[in-house]
Amino acid sequence: AAFPSVWMLDKDALRMQLPEIKRKSFVFRSVFGLPGIYVDPQTCSMIAIEVKAAVHTLMKRVYQGKISGKAALLDEPRLRIDHTAMELTVCGIVDVADNEVPEVTPLLSEEAKKDGPLQSALDKCRIKLLKEFRLNTTYEEVVDWISSGIYVDGIEIPSVDDEVLMKAHAEVRMVQSLKNMSAGLSRASGLAKELEAASKLKNVPDTIARLSSACLSLFTDAKKTAKQIGG
């Protein structure tokens, strides 16, 4: 699909492209490990609100607070909080002025140990039941992009060319394929029963019979070596 574009009309009602505005955003994904304790939905909502408030203030102060001349041009930090019994994930997009930004893991770790909404939220997650504090940042990068002037739900869409758009579509298709493959592998636990049933059919094709026998052997014989399994 073609990427949308925006223009203005000049005094002669002719289309005039918006001026390009080059921008930078710090993008990150950090995951707090949790002990796997059930938390009711109402408390989960409170946790998300507290984490979002704490991290928003932190991002604004550390990444945008010292940019006095350009602060008016920067969008507010955008955050997404996902919470399960095992993990609390914080994803963020923070507009910045240059590529030199502090690492996010030490900032979140320090903030989590202070009295405040982030520590309060983690306490509600029973994080103190863990033997050691776990925080892992799986992605952090400063991304260069160009303003498009198009906003969806208050968030601006970056301007990209056809080549970048095709790459994005390809990556989305790849992620979808991996998701489908993962779903298929998750059902492999019942494969042994299916193979056993297939091997007992009347008039089983020789190829299916040999495949069934080999697969059942792999499933049931724990003494097989890696070389034998590879063969």
Side-chain angles (χ1 to χ4, degrees), residues 2-228:
F3 207 77
S5 60
V6 176
W7 60 84
M8 297 185 297
L9 298 179
D10 63 14
K11 61 180 180 180
D12 298 320
L14 297 175
R15 288 184 181 181
M16 181 174 59
Q17 294 295 325
L18 293 175
E20 287 188 352
I21 302 176
K22 294 185 178 180
R23 308 179 71 169
K24 293 178 182 291
S25 290
F26 174 64
V27 183
F28 71 94
R29 180 181 186 273
S30 298
V31 182
F32 291 90
L34 300 178
I37 304 297
Y38 170 77
V39 179
D40 63 86
Q42 185 176 357
T43 304
C44 285
S45 298
M46 293 176 60
I47 290 169
I49 291 171
E50 290 181 342
V51 172
K52 194 169 186 177
V55 178
H56 182 278
T57 302
L58 178 66
M59 297 294 108
K60 196 169 180 63
R61 183 181 76 243
V62 175
Y63 292 95
Q64 298 180 333
K66 299 178 181 178
I67 317 172
S68 56
K70 297 183 179 180
L73 301 176
L74 302 178
D75 287 343
E76 291 285 320
R78 285 150 285 174
L79 300 168
R80 176 181 173 85
I81 314 298
D82 288 319
H83 175 220
T84 68
M86 300 300 297
E87 293 181 343
L88 177 68
T89 303
V90 182
C91 300
I93 302 174
V94 186
D95 283 5
V96 294
D98 55 56
N99 294 330
E100 300 299 323
V101 297
E103 293 184 359
V104 72
T105 302
L107 293 173
L108 291 174
S109 179
E110 182 181 353
E111 190 71 17
K113 296 171 184 176
K114 295 179 180 178
D115 287 335
L118 182 56
Q119 187 185 75
S120 172
L122 293 174
D123 286 346
K124 289 183 176 68
C125 297
R126 310 288 183 85
I127 197 169
K128 290 182 179 178
L129 294 177
L130 294 174
K131 293 182 179 179
E132 59 180 0
F133 179 79
R134 298 201 307 266
L135 173 60
N136 181 35
T137 296
T138 59
Y139 181 83
E140 58 181 324
E141 188 68 52
V142 175
V143 179
D144 293 291
W145 59 286
I146 298 175
S147 173
S148 68
I150 304 171
Y151 285 80
V152 177
D153 293 333
I155 298 176
E156 187 173 12
I157 299 175
S159 176
V160 299
D161 55 27
D162 290 340
E163 182 180 352
V164 173
L165 186 60
M166 289 178 63
K167 181 180 178 182
H169 282 312
E171 290 177 350
V172 169
R173 286 194 294 269
M174 182 181 296
V175 170
Q176 187 62 45
S177 297
L178 290 172
K179 180 180 178 182
N180 294 339
M181 183 184 297
S182 175
L185 289 173
S186 69
R187 295 191 293 270
S189 59
L191 182 58
K193 292 181 180 179
E194 292 183 20
L195 290 170
E196 185 177 4
S199 67
K200 294 178 181 179
L201 290 174
K202 295 180 180 179
N203 302 321
V204 179
D206 182 60
T207 305
I208 297 297
R210 285 188 284 112
L211 175 62
S212 175
S213 175
C215 290
L216 283 174
S217 177
L218 292 179
F219 273 104
T220 57
D221 190 351
K223 296 180 180 180
K224 281 192 176 293
T225 65
K227 185 175 180 180
Q228 289 173 315

